[in-house]
Amino acid sequence: MRPVKTTAAAKPRRRTARAPAPKPYHHGDLRRVLIDAALQLVGEGGPDAVSVREAARRAGVSPGAPFRHFPSRDALMQAVAEEAQRRFRAEIEAALSEAPVGDPLARFRSLGLAYVRWAMHNPTHFEFLSSRRFFDHDKAAGVSADNAELIELTERALAEAYAKGQLRPENLKAVQIAGRALVYGFARMNIDGHFPRWGVDGREAERTAEAIIDLFIEGIAKRPGRA
C-alpha cells in the first residue's frame, strides 16, 4: 500500500478590514442643518455671531461645503430669517386655532398675545426679524409674504369685529397700527431690559403683557350704552 501523502493544513486567509463606506452627502439635509445651526448661533449670540464657517463647523462639514447652498453669508442670513419667520407664523397659527371662530375681537387679542409671547421667548430671533440691519427684507420673499399675510389677518379680524358691532373706533387702520405699536414696543422693552426699573421682573412680564393687551382691547371695544 502506498503511503498517503499528507499536506500541511491550509492557513486561514487573513481578512482585510474594509474601509468604512463614505457617508453620502445629502444636499437637502445639509441646507436644513446649516440653517438650524445659524439659528442656534443667533439665539446664543445674536445675528452678529453668525458666520458661514461656524455654521459649517457645527454642521460637521468642511468650510467650503455650505457654499453649495449659500453663495454668501447674506444668502445664509436670508434663509435664517425665512425660517425664523416660519416659526413665528406657526406660533400665530397655533394661537388662532384655539381662539373662538365667531369672535373676531378675541382673535385679534390672540394675535397680539402670540406676537408678544413669541418675541419674549425668542428675543434674539425677534430682534433679527424686526431689524433691517441683518438681512435684506426686500429680497427675503418668504418673510415679506408672511408679513403681508399677518397684516391681512389683523385687518380681517378688525373688519369683522367692526361689522359685528364689537369695535368703537371707525378708523381701523389707526387701531391696527396702535395695536402693532403696543406689542412691538412691549417686545422691545423686554429685549432692552427696561422692565426691572418699572418694577416688573421676568416672571411677571408675560402676565403684564396680557394685562396691557386686555387694557387696549377694553379701550377699543364697544360696550352696551357706550358710543
Side-chain angles (χ1 to χ4, degrees), residues 186-204:
F186 191 94
R188 284 300 329 177
M189 286 181 72
N190 179 61
I191 288 173
D192 296 337
H194 289 299
F195 288 137
R197 74 186 66 174
W198 291 86
V200 178
D201 65 25
R203 293 168 298 179
E204 296 176 346

Side-chain angles (χ1 to χ4, degrees), residues 107-143:
R107 295 177 69 78
F108 179 71
R109 177 183 182 273
S110 293
L111 279 166
L113 277 174
Y115 183 105
V116 170
R117 285 171 176 159
W118 187 84
M120 292 181 67
H121 296 162
N122 305 274
T124 51
H125 292 169
F126 170 78
E127 186 171 15
F128 178 58
L129 283 175
S130 61
S131 173
R132 288 187 170 269
R133 291 197 305 117
F134 306 116
F135 70 99
D136 190 336
H137 282 243
D138 296 329
K139 292 182 179 179
V143 175

